[in-house]
Amino acid sequence: QVQLVESGGGLVQPGGSLRLSCAASGSIFSINAMAWHRQAPGKSRELVAAIISGGSTNYADSVKGRFTISRDNAKNTVYLQMNSLKPEDTAVYYCHIFYNGQNYWGQGTQVTVSS
């Protein structure tokens, strides 16, 4: 059974930074795709950033140049460094992996950007 544990959310002022972490545990070997999604109140869940095993990354246009996704394969952990945060980045952020033909989701961590 694969479990994802997220950490790093919180309240930050506009222009500030946060770093999210997501550790996958269980009988895991070589996760292919790891990603972060977010869902703001009243909106659909959207992909924020993704990274595949080879290191290629993909970002939503709204976060390009501000967010950086990275991974530590030895620790089965994915990170999301968020800089220059804006109020519109406020959402619940979800970690997501695609492994062994299945999708797994974290429980979500709240990120609130407000003065």
Side-chain angles (χ1 to χ4, degrees), residues 1-67:
Q1 184 72 15
V2 175
Q3 290 186 325
L4 303 179
V5 179
E6 301 158 352
S7 61
L11 173 64
V12 64
Q13 292 185 342
S17 299
L18 283 175
R19 188 192 194 207
L20 305 183
S21 299
C22 173
S25 62
S27 300
I28 298 174
F29 176 76
S30 187
I31 300 173
N32 184 11
M34 308 181 83
W36 289 95
H37 300 246
R38 67 186 181 187
Q39 187 166 17
K43 295 188 177 181
S44 301
R45 190 173 297 189
E46 63 173 352
L47 175 67
V48 175
I51 183 168
I52 63 173
S53 58
S56 296
T57 58
N58 185 43
Y59 295 92
D61 288 342
S62 59
V63 306
K64 283 181 180 177
R66 301 188 296 121
F67 291 10

Side-chain angles (χ1 to χ4, degrees), residues 90-112:
T90 295
V92 178
Y93 285 69
Y94 296 91
C95 174
H96 167 232
I97 68 169
F98 183 75
Y99 174 73
N100 202 25
Q102 295 189 55
N103 291 294
Y104 296 90
W105 293 87
Q107 80 282 2
T109 185
Q110 177 70 45
V111 171
T112 302

